[in-house]
Coordinates of all heavy atoms in Angstrom, one line a residue:
M1 N 214.0 -88.1 -206.6 CA 214.2 -89.1 -205.6 C 214.6 -90.4 -206.2 O 215.3 -91.1 -205.5 CB 212.8 -89.2 -204.8 CG 212.9 -90.2 -203.6 SD 213.7 -89.5 -202.3 CE 213.4 -90.6 -201.1
D2 N 214.1 -90.7 -207.4 CA 214.5 -92.0 -208.0 C 216.0 -92.1 -208.2 O 216.6 -93.1 -208.0 CB 213.8 -92.3 -209.3 CG 212.3 -92.7 -209.1 OD1 212.0 -93.1 -208.0 OD2 211.6 -92.5 -210.0
G3 N 216.6 -90.9 -208.6 CA 218.0 -91.0 -208.8 C 218.9 -91.3 -207.6 O 219.8 -92.1 -207.6
E4 N 218.4 -90.7 -206.4 CA 219.1 -91.0 -205.1 C 218.9 -92.5 -204.7 O 219.8 -93.0 -204.2 CB 218.6 -90.1 -204.0 CG 219.0 -88.6 -204.1 CD 217.9 -87.8 -205.0 OE1 216.9 -88.4 -205.5 OE2 218.2 -86.6 -205.2
W5 N 217.7 -93.0 -205.0 CA 217.5 -94.4 -204.6 C 218.3 -95.4 -205.4 O 218.8 -96.3 -205.0 CB 215.9 -94.7 -204.7 CG 215.6 -96.1 -204.3 CD1 215.0 -97.0 -205.1 CD2 215.8 -96.7 -203.1 NE1 214.9 -98.2 -204.4 CE2 215.4 -98.1 -203.2 CE3 216.4 -96.3 -201.8 CZ2 215.5 -99.0 -202.1 CZ3 216.4 -97.2 -200.8 CH2 216.0 -98.5 -200.9
Q6 N 218.4 -95.0 -206.7 CA 219.2 -95.9 -207.6 C 220.6 -95.8 -207.1 O 221.4 -96.9 -207.2 CB 219.0 -95.4 -209.1 CG 217.7 -95.7 -209.6 CD 217.4 -97.2 -209.7 OE1 218.2 -98.0 -209.8 NE2 216.1 -97.5 -209.6
A7 N 221.1 -94.7 -206.7 CA 222.5 -94.5 -206.2 C 222.8 -95.3 -205.0 O 223.7 -96.0 -204.8 CB 222.9 -93.1 -205.9
I8 N 221.7 -95.4 -204.1 CA 221.8 -96.2 -202.8 C 221.8 -97.6 -203.2 O 222.7 -98.4 -202.6 CB 220.6 -95.8 -201.9 CG1 220.8 -94.4 -201.3 CG2 220.5 -96.9 -200.8 CD1 219.6 -93.9 -200.6
L9 N 221.0 -98.0 -204.1 CA 220.9 -99.5 -204.5 C 222.2 -99.9 -205.1 O 222.8 -101.0 -204.9 CB 219.8 -99.8 -205.4 CG 218.4 -99.7 -204.7 CD1 217.3 -100.0 -205.8 CD2 218.3 -100.8 -203.6
A10 N 222.8 -99.0 -206.0 CA 224.1 -99.3 -206.7 C 225.2 -99.5 -205.7 O 226.1 -100.4 -205.9 CB 224.4 -98.2 -207.7
R11 N 225.2 -98.7 -204.6 CA 226.3 -98.8 -203.7 C 226.1 -99.8 -202.6 O 227.0 -100.5 -202.3 CB 226.5 -97.4 -203.0 CG 227.6 -97.4 -202.1 CD 227.9 -96.0 -201.6 NE 229.1 -96.0 -200.7 CZ 229.6 -95.0 -200.2 NH1 229.2 -93.7 -200.5 NH2 230.7 -95.1 -199.5
Y12 N 224.9 -100.0 -202.1 CA 224.7 -100.9 -200.9 C 223.9 -102.1 -201.2 O 223.9 -103.0 -200.5 CB 224.0 -100.1 -199.8 CG 224.8 -98.9 -199.3 CD1 224.3 -97.6 -199.6 CD2 225.9 -99.1 -198.5 CE1 225.1 -96.6 -199.2 CE2 226.6 -98.0 -198.1 CZ 226.2 -96.7 -198.4 OH 226.9 -95.7 -197.9
G13 N 223.2 -102.1 -202.4 CA 222.4 -103.2 -202.7 C 223.3 -104.5 -203.1 O 224.5 -104.4 -203.4
Q14 N 222.6 -105.6 -203.3 CA 223.2 -106.8 -203.7 C 222.5 -107.3 -205.0 O 221.4 -107.0 -205.2 CB 223.2 -107.9 -202.6 CG 221.8 -108.1 -202.0 CD 221.9 -108.5 -200.6 OE1 222.4 -107.8 -199.7 NE2 221.4 -109.7 -200.2
S15 N 223.2 -108.2 -205.7 CA 222.5 -108.7 -206.9 C 221.5 -109.8 -206.6 O 221.8 -110.7 -205.8 CB 223.6 -109.2 -207.8 OG 223.1 -109.8 -209.0
V16 N 220.3 -109.5 -207.1 CA 219.2 -110.5 -206.9 C 218.5 -110.8 -208.2 O 218.6 -110.0 -209.1 CB 218.1 -110.0 -205.9 CG1 218.7 -109.7 -204.5 CG2 217.5 -108.8 -206.3
T17 N 217.9 -111.9 -208.3 CA 217.1 -112.3 -209.5 C 215.7 -112.3 -209.1 O 215.3 -113.0 -208.2 CB 217.6 -113.7 -210.0 OG1 219.0 -113.6 -210.3 CG2 216.8 -114.0 -211.3
V18 N 214.8 -111.6 -209.7 CA 213.4 -111.5 -209.4 C 212.6 -112.2 -210.5 O 212.8 -111.9 -211.7 CB 213.0 -110.0 -209.3 CG1 211.4 -109.9 -209.1 CG2 213.7 -109.4 -208.2
S19 N 211.8 -113.1 -210.2 CA 210.8 -113.7 -211.1 C 209.4 -113.1 -210.7 O 208.8 -113.6 -209.7 CB 210.8 -115.2 -211.0 OG 212.1 -115.8 -211.2
P20 N 208.9 -112.1 -211.4 CA 207.7 -111.3 -211.0 C 206.5 -112.3 -210.9 O 205.7 -112.2 -210.1 CB 207.5 -110.3 -212.1 CG 208.9 -110.1 -212.7 CD 209.6 -111.4 -212.6
S21 N 206.4 -113.3 -211.8 CA 205.4 -114.3 -211.9 C 205.7 -115.4 -212.7 O 206.8 -115.3 -213.5 CB 204.1 -113.6 -212.3 OG 204.1 -113.3 -213.7
P22 N 205.1 -116.5 -212.6 CA 205.6 -117.7 -213.5 C 205.4 -117.4 -215.0 O 206.3 -118.0 -215.8 CB 204.5 -118.7 -213.1 CG 204.0 -118.4 -211.8 CD 204.0 -116.9 -211.8
E23 N 204.6 -116.4 -215.4 CA 204.5 -116.1 -216.8 C 205.5 -115.2 -217.3 O 205.8 -115.0 -218.5 CB 203.1 -115.6 -217.2 CG 201.9 -116.4 -216.8 CD 201.6 -116.2 -215.3 OE1 201.7 -115.1 -214.8 OE2 201.1 -117.0 -214.7
E24 N 206.2 -114.4 -216.4 CA 207.1 -113.4 -216.9 C 208.6 -113.8 -216.8 O 208.9 -114.7 -215.9 CB 206.9 -112.2 -216.0 CG 205.6 -111.5 -216.1 CD 205.4 -110.3 -215.3 OE1 206.1 -109.3 -215.5 OE2 204.5 -110.4 -214.4
E25 N 209.4 -113.3 -217.5 CA 210.9 -113.6 -217.5 C 211.5 -113.0 -216.3 O 211.2 -111.9 -215.8 CB 211.4 -113.0 -218.8 CG 212.8 -113.6 -219.1 CD 213.3 -113.1 -220.5 OE1 212.5 -113.1 -221.4 OE2 214.4 -112.7 -220.6
S26 N 212.5 -113.7 -215.7 CA 213.3 -113.3 -214.6 C 214.2 -112.1 -215.0 O 214.6 -112.0 -216.2 CB 214.2 -114.4 -214.1 OG 213.4 -115.5 -213.6
V27 N 214.5 -111.3 -214.0 CA 215.3 -110.1 -214.2 C 216.3 -110.0 -213.1 O 215.9 -110.3 -211.9 CB 214.5 -108.8 -214.4 CG1 213.7 -108.5 -213.2 CG2 215.3 -107.7 -214.8
T28 N 217.6 -109.7 -213.4 CA 218.6 -109.5 -212.4 C 218.8 -108.0 -212.1 O 218.8 -107.2 -213.1 CB 219.9 -110.1 -212.9 OG1 219.7 -111.6 -213.1 CG2 220.9 -110.0 -211.8
L29 N 218.8 -107.6 -210.8 CA 218.8 -106.2 -210.5 C 219.5 -106.1 -209.1 O 219.9 -107.0 -208.5 CB 217.4 -105.6 -210.5 CG 216.3 -106.4 -209.7 CD1 216.3 -105.9 -208.2 CD2 215.0 -106.0 -210.3
R30 N 219.7 -104.8 -208.7 CA 220.3 -104.5 -207.4 C 219.1 -104.3 -206.4 O 218.2 -103.5 -206.7 CB 221.2 -103.3 -207.4 CG 222.3 -103.4 -208.4 CD 223.5 -104.2 -208.0 NE 224.1 -103.7 -206.9 CZ 225.1 -104.3 -206.3 NH1 225.6 -105.5 -206.7 NH2 225.8 -103.8 -205.3
A31 N 219.2 -104.9 -205.3 CA 218.2 -104.7 -204.2 C 218.8 -104.9 -202.8 O 219.9 -105.4 -202.8 CB 216.9 -105.6 -204.4
M32 N 218.1 -104.5 -201.8 CA 218.5 -104.8 -200.4 C 217.6 -105.8 -199.8 O 216.5 -105.6 -199.8 CB 218.6 -103.5 -199.7 CG 219.8 -102.6 -200.1 SD 220.0 -101.2 -199.0 CE 218.7 -100.1 -199.5
L33 N 218.2 -106.9 -199.3 CA 217.5 -107.9 -198.5 C 217.9 -107.8 -197.1 O 219.1 -107.9 -196.8 CB 217.6 -109.3 -199.1 CG 217.0 -109.6 -200.4 CD1 217.3 -111.1 -200.9 CD2 215.5 -109.5 -200.4
Q34 N 217.0 -107.7 -196.2 CA 217.4 -107.7 -194.8 C 216.4 -108.5 -194.0 O 215.2 -108.4 -194.2 CB 217.6 -106.3 -194.3 CG 216.4 -105.3 -194.6 CD 216.7 -104.0 -194.3 OE1 217.3 -103.6 -193.2 NE2 216.3 -103.0 -195.1
P35 N 216.9 -109.1 -192.9 CA 216.0 -109.9 -192.1 C 215.0 -109.0 -191.3 O 215.5 -107.9 -190.9 CB 216.9 -110.7 -191.2 CG 218.2 -110.1 -191.3 CD 218.3 -109.3 -192.5
M36 N 213.8 -109.4 -191.1 CA 212.9 -108.6 -190.3 C 213.0 -109.1 -188.9 O 212.9 -110.4 -188.7 CB 211.4 -108.8 -190.9 CG 211.2 -108.2 -192.2 SD 209.6 -108.4 -192.8 CE 208.6 -107.4 -191.6
L37 N 213.3 -108.3 -188.0 CA 213.5 -108.7 -186.6 C 212.2 -108.8 -185.9 O 211.4 -107.8 -185.9 CB 214.4 -107.7 -185.9 CG 215.8 -107.5 -186.6 CD1 216.6 -106.5 -185.8 CD2 216.6 -108.8 -186.5
E38 N 211.8 -109.9 -185.4 CA 210.6 -110.2 -184.8 C 210.8 -110.8 -183.4 O 211.8 -111.4 -183.2 CB 209.7 -111.1 -185.6 CG 209.3 -110.6 -186.9 CD 208.3 -111.6 -187.7 OE1 207.9 -112.6 -187.1 OE2 208.2 -111.4 -188.9
R39 N 210.0 -110.6 -182.5 CA 210.1 -111.2 -181.1 C 209.8 -112.7 -181.2 O 209.0 -113.1 -182.0 CB 209.2 -110.6 -180.2 CG 209.6 -109.1 -179.9 CD 208.7 -108.5 -178.9 NE 209.0 -107.1 -178.7 CZ 208.5 -106.3 -177.8 NH1 207.6 -106.7 -176.9 NH2 208.9 -105.1 -177.7
G40 N 210.6 -113.4 -180.5 CA 210.3 -114.9 -180.4 C 211.1 -115.5 -181.5 O 211.7 -114.9 -182.4
E41 N 211.0 -116.9 -181.5 CA 211.7 -117.7 -182.5 C 210.9 -117.7 -183.9 O 209.7 -117.6 -183.8 CB 211.9 -119.1 -182.0 CG 212.8 -119.2 -180.9 CD 213.1 -120.6 -180.5 OE1 213.4 -121.4 -181.4 OE2 213.0 -121.0 -179.3
Q42 N 211.6 -117.9 -184.9 CA 211.0 -117.9 -186.2 C 211.2 -119.4 -186.7 O 211.6 -119.7 -187.8 CB 211.7 -116.9 -187.2 CG 211.4 -115.5 -186.8 CD 211.9 -114.6 -187.8 OE1 212.2 -114.9 -188.9 NE2 212.0 -113.3 -187.5
I43 N 210.8 -120.4 -185.9 CA 210.9 -121.7 -186.2 C 209.5 -122.3 -186.1 O 208.8 -122.1 -185.0 CB 211.9 -122.5 -185.3 CG1 213.3 -121.9 -185.5 CG2 211.8 -124.0 -185.5 CD1 214.4 -122.5 -184.6
A44 N 209.0 -123.1 -187.0 CA 207.7 -123.7 -186.9 C 207.8 -125.2 -186.9 O 208.8 -125.8 -187.6 CB 206.9 -123.2 -188.2
P45 N 207.0 -125.8 -186.2 CA 207.1 -127.3 -186.2 C 206.7 -127.9 -187.5 O 205.9 -127.5 -188.2 CB 206.1 -127.7 -185.1 CG 205.2 -126.5 -185.0 CD 205.9 -125.3 -185.4
S46 N 207.3 -129.0 -187.9 CA 207.0 -129.8 -189.1 C 207.1 -131.3 -188.7 O 207.7 -131.6 -187.7 CB 207.9 -129.4 -190.2 OG 209.2 -129.9 -190.1
P47 N 206.7 -132.2 -189.6 CA 206.8 -133.6 -189.3 C 208.3 -134.1 -189.1 O 208.6 -135.0 -188.4 CB 206.2 -134.2 -190.6 CG 205.3 -133.2 -191.1 CD 205.9 -131.9 -190.8
L48 N 209.2 -133.3 -189.7 CA 210.6 -133.7 -189.6 C 211.4 -132.9 -188.6 O 212.6 -132.9 -188.5 CB 211.3 -133.5 -190.9 CG 210.8 -134.4 -192.1 CD1 211.4 -134.0 -193.4 CD2 210.9 -135.9 -191.7
G49 N 210.7 -132.1 -187.7 CA 211.4 -131.2 -186.7 C 211.1 -129.8 -187.0 O 210.1 -129.5 -187.7
G50 N 211.9 -128.9 -186.4 CA 211.6 -127.6 -186.5 C 212.1 -127.1 -188.0 O 213.0 -127.5 -188.6
R51 N 211.3 -126.1 -188.5 CA 211.6 -125.5 -189.9 C 211.6 -124.0 -189.6 O 210.8 -123.4 -189.1 CB 210.4 -125.8 -190.8 CG 210.6 -125.3 -192.1 CD 209.4 -125.6 -193.0 NE 208.3 -124.8 -192.6 CZ 207.0 -125.1 -192.6 NH1 206.7 -126.3 -192.9 NH2 206.1 -124.3 -192.2
R52 N 212.7 -123.4 -190.3 CA 212.9 -122.0 -190.1 C 211.9 -121.3 -190.9 O 211.5 -121.7 -192.0 CB 214.3 -121.6 -190.6 CG 215.4 -122.1 -189.6 CD 216.7 -121.6 -190.0 NE 216.7 -120.1 -189.9 CZ 217.4 -119.5 -189.1 NH1 218.4 -120.1 -188.3 NH2 217.5 -118.2 -189.0
E53 N 211.3 -120.2 -190.4 CA 210.4 -119.4 -191.2 C 210.8 -117.9 -191.1 O 210.1 -117.1 -190.7 CB 209.0 -119.5 -190.6 CG 208.4 -120.9 -190.9 CD 206.9 -120.9 -190.8 OE1 206.3 -120.0 -190.1 OE2 206.2 -121.8 -191.4
D54 N 212.1 -117.7 -191.3 CA 212.7 -116.3 -191.4 C 211.8 -115.4 -192.3 O 211.5 -116.0 -193.4 CB 214.1 -116.2 -191.6 CG 214.9 -117.0 -190.5 OD1 214.3 -117.1 -189.4 OD2 216.0 -117.4 -190.8
R55 N 211.7 -114.2 -192.0 CA 211.1 -113.3 -193.0 C 212.1 -112.2 -193.3 O 212.8 -111.7 -192.4 CB 209.8 -112.6 -192.4 CG 208.8 -113.7 -192.3 CD 207.5 -113.0 -191.7 NE 206.4 -114.0 -191.6 CZ 205.3 -114.0 -192.0 NH1 205.0 -112.8 -192.6 NH2 204.4 -115.0 -191.8
F56 N 212.1 -111.8 -194.6 CA 213.0 -110.8 -195.1 C 212.3 -109.7 -195.7 O 211.2 -109.8 -196.3 CB 214.0 -111.4 -196.1 CG 215.0 -112.4 -195.4 CD1 214.7 -113.6 -195.1 CD2 216.3 -111.9 -195.1 CE1 215.5 -114.5 -194.5 CE2 217.1 -112.8 -194.5 CZ 216.8 -114.1 -194.2
L57 N 212.9 -108.5 -195.7 CA 212.3 -107.3 -196.3 C 213.2 -107.0 -197.5 O 214.4 -107.1 -197.5 CB 212.4 -106.1 -195.4 CG 212.0 -104.7 -195.9 CD1 210.5 -104.7 -196.3 CD2 212.3 -103.6 -195.0
S58 N 212.5 -106.9 -198.7 CA 213.2 -106.6 -200.0 C 212.9 -105.2 -200.4 O 211.7 -104.8 -200.5 CB 212.8 -107.6 -201.0 OG 213.3 -107.3 -202.3
L59 N 214.0 -104.4 -200.6 CA 213.8 -103.0 -201.1 C 214.5 -102.9 -202.4 O 215.8 -103.2 -202.4 CB 214.5 -102.1 -200.0 CG 213.9 -102.1 -198.6 CD1 214.8 -101.3 -197.7 CD2 212.5 -101.6 -198.6
G60 N 213.8 -102.6 -203.4 CA 214.4 -102.6 -204.7 C 213.8 -101.5 -205.6 O 213.0 -100.7 -205.1
P61 N 214.1 -101.5 -206.8 CA 213.5 -100.4 -207.7 C 212.0 -100.6 -207.9 O 211.6 -101.7 -208.0 CB 214.3 -100.6 -209.0 CG 214.8 -102.0 -209.0 CD 215.0 -102.3 -207.5
R62 N 211.3 -99.6 -208.0 CA 209.9 -99.7 -208.2 C 209.4 -100.0 -209.5 O 208.3 -100.4 -209.7 CB 209.2 -98.4 -207.8 CG 209.5 -97.2 -208.6 CD 208.7 -96.0 -208.2 NE 209.0 -94.8 -209.0 CZ 208.4 -93.7 -208.9 NH1 207.4 -93.6 -208.0 NH2 208.7 -92.7 -209.7
D63 N 210.3 -100.1 -210.5 CA 209.9 -100.5 -211.9 C 209.9 -102.0 -212.1 O 209.5 -102.5 -213.1 CB 210.8 -99.9 -212.9 CG 212.2 -100.3 -212.8 OD1 212.6 -100.8 -211.8 OD2 213.0 -100.0 -213.7
T64 N 210.2 -102.8 -211.0 CA 210.1 -104.3 -211.0 C 209.2 -104.6 -209.9 O 209.8 -104.9 -208.7 CB 211.5 -104.9 -210.9 OG1 212.3 -104.5 -211.9 CG2 211.3 -106.4 -211.0
P65 N 207.9 -104.6 -209.9 CA 207.0 -104.9 -208.9 C 207.0 -106.3 -208.4 O 207.2 -107.2 -209.3 CB 205.6 -104.3 -209.3 CG 205.7 -104.5 -210.8 CD 207.2 -104.2 -211.2
L66 N 206.9 -106.5 -207.2 CA 206.7 -107.9 -206.6 C 205.2 -108.2 -206.4 O 204.4 -107.3 -206.0 CB 207.5 -108.0 -205.3 CG 208.9 -107.8 -205.3 CD1 209.5 -107.9 -204.0 CD2 209.6 -108.7 -206.3
R67 N 204.8 -109.4 -206.6 CA 203.4 -109.8 -206.4 C 203.3 -110.9 -205.3 O 203.9 -111.9 -205.4 CB 202.9 -110.3 -207.7 CG 202.7 -109.2 -208.7 CD 202.2 -109.8 -210.1 NE 202.2 -108.7 -211.1 CZ 203.3 -108.6 -211.9 NH1 204.4 -109.3 -211.8 NH2 203.3 -107.6 -212.8
A68 N 202.5 -110.6 -204.3 CA 202.3 -111.5 -203.2 C 201.8 -112.9 -203.7 O 200.8 -112.9 -204.5 CB 201.3 -111.0 -202.2
G69 N 202.4 -113.9 -203.3 CA 202.0 -115.3 -203.7 C 202.6 -115.8 -205.1 O 202.4 -116.9 -205.4
K70 N 203.1 -114.9 -205.9 CA 203.5 -115.2 -207.3 C 204.9 -115.0 -207.5 O 205.6 -115.8 -208.1 CB 202.7 -114.4 -208.3 CG 201.2 -114.8 -208.4 CD 200.6 -114.0 -209.5 CE 199.1 -114.5 -209.6 NZ 198.5 -113.8 -210.8
S71 N 205.5 -113.9 -206.9 CA 207.0 -113.6 -207.2 C 207.9 -114.4 -206.4 O 207.6 -114.7 -205.3 CB 207.2 -112.1 -206.9 OG 206.4 -111.2 -207.8
L72 N 209.1 -114.6 -207.0 CA 210.2 -115.2 -206.3 C 211.4 -114.3 -206.3 O 211.7 -113.6 -207.4 CB 210.6 -116.6 -206.9 CG 209.5 -117.6 -207.0 CD1 210.0 -118.8 -207.7 CD2 209.1 -118.0 -205.5
V73 N 212.2 -114.3 -205.3 CA 213.4 -113.4 -205.2 C 214.5 -114.4 -204.9 O 214.5 -115.1 -203.8 CB 213.3 -112.3 -204.2 CG1 214.6 -111.5 -204.1 CG2 212.2 -111.4 -204.5
E74 N 215.5 -114.5 -205.7 CA 216.7 -115.4 -205.5 C 217.9 -114.5 -205.2 O 218.2 -113.5 -205.9 CB 216.9 -116.2 -206.7 CG 218.1 -117.2 -206.4 CD 218.4 -118.1 -207.6 OE1 217.5 -118.2 -208.5 OE2 219.5 -118.7 -207.6
C75 N 218.6 -114.8 -204.1 CA 219.8 -114.2 -203.7 C 220.7 -115.1 -202.9 O 220.3 -115.7 -202.0 CB 219.4 -113.0 -202.7 SG 220.8 -112.0 -202.2
G76 N 222.0 -115.2 -203.3 CA 223.0 -115.9 -202.6 C 222.6 -117.4 -202.6 O 222.9 -118.1 -201.6
G77 N 222.0 -118.0 -203.6 CA 221.7 -119.3 -203.7 C 220.4 -119.8 -203.0 O 220.1 -121.0 -202.8
T78 N 219.7 -118.8 -202.4 CA 218.5 -119.0 -201.6 C 217.3 -118.4 -202.4 O 217.4 -117.2 -202.8 CB 218.6 -118.5 -200.2 OG1 219.6 -119.1 -199.5 CG2 217.3 -118.9 -199.4
T79 N 216.2 -119.0 -202.5 CA 215.0 -118.5 -203.2 C 214.0 -118.2 -202.1 O 213.7 -119.0 -201.2 CB 214.4 -119.5 -204.1 OG1 215.4 -119.8 -205.1 CG2 213.3 -118.9 -204.9
Y80 N 213.4 -117.0 -202.1 CA 212.4 -116.5 -201.2 C 211.0 -116.3 -202.0 O 211.1 -115.7 -203.1 CB 212.8 -115.2 -200.6 CG 214.1 -115.2 -199.9 CD1 215.3 -114.9 -200.6 CD2 214.3 -115.7 -198.6 CE1 216.5 -115.0 -200.0 CE2 215.5 -115.8 -198.0 CZ 216.6 -115.4 -198.7 OH 217.9 -115.4 -198.0
R81 N 210.0 -116.7 -201.5 CA 208.6 -116.4 -202.0 C 208.0 -115.2 -201.4 O 208.1 -115.0 -200.2 CB 207.7 -117.6 -201.8 CG 206.3 -117.4 -202.4 CD 205.4 -118.6 -202.2 NE 206.0 -119.9 -202.9 CZ 206.0 -120.1 -204.1 NH1 205.5 -119.2 -205.1 NH2 206.7 -121.2 -204.5
V82 N 207.5 -114.3 -202.2 CA 207.0 -113.1 -201.7 C 205.6 -113.3 -201.1 O 204.7 -113.9 -201.7 CB 206.8 -112.1 -202.9 CG1 206.1 -110.8 -202.3 CG2 208.2 -111.8 -203.5
Q83 N 205.4 -113.0 -199.7 CA 204.2 -113.2 -199.0 C 203.3 -111.9 -199.0 O 202.1 -112.1 -199.0 CB 204.5 -113.6 -197.6 CG 205.2 -115.0 -197.6 CD 205.4 -115.5 -196.2 OE1 205.4 -114.7 -195.3 NE2 205.7 -116.8 -196.0
A84 N 204.0 -110.8 -199.1 CA 203.2 -109.5 -199.0 C 204.0 -108.5 -199.8 O 205.2 -108.5 -199.8 CB 203.0 -109.0 -197.6
A85 N 203.4 -107.6 -200.5 CA 204.0 -106.6 -201.3 C 203.2 -105.2 -201.1 O 202.0 -105.3 -201.2 CB 204.0 -107.1 -202.8
H86 N 204.0 -104.2 -200.9 CA 203.4 -102.9 -200.7 C 204.2 -101.9 -201.5 O 205.4 -102.0 -201.8 CB 203.5 -102.4 -199.3 CG 202.9 -103.5 -198.4 ND1 201.5 -103.6 -198.2 CD2 203.4 -104.4 -197.6 CE1 201.2 -104.5 -197.3 NE2 202.4 -105.0 -196.9

């Protein structure tokens, strides 16, 4: 199954940089990032007005685990903080 998943990531994934934790070195790999569709708006109030709180699902190789609250995923000039990892 790993071979098929690697082929899917190679064909359809995008280049992302993962920082597993502050102590570990960043690694560039292929993964799929897609928005999670939720009902209602994903905008939270802040002192300066509305702030977007979009959530994304990251699907990547299992040999680079993500850690909730510690890992960062960078893609297309945007950095995302991992909130939950399964």
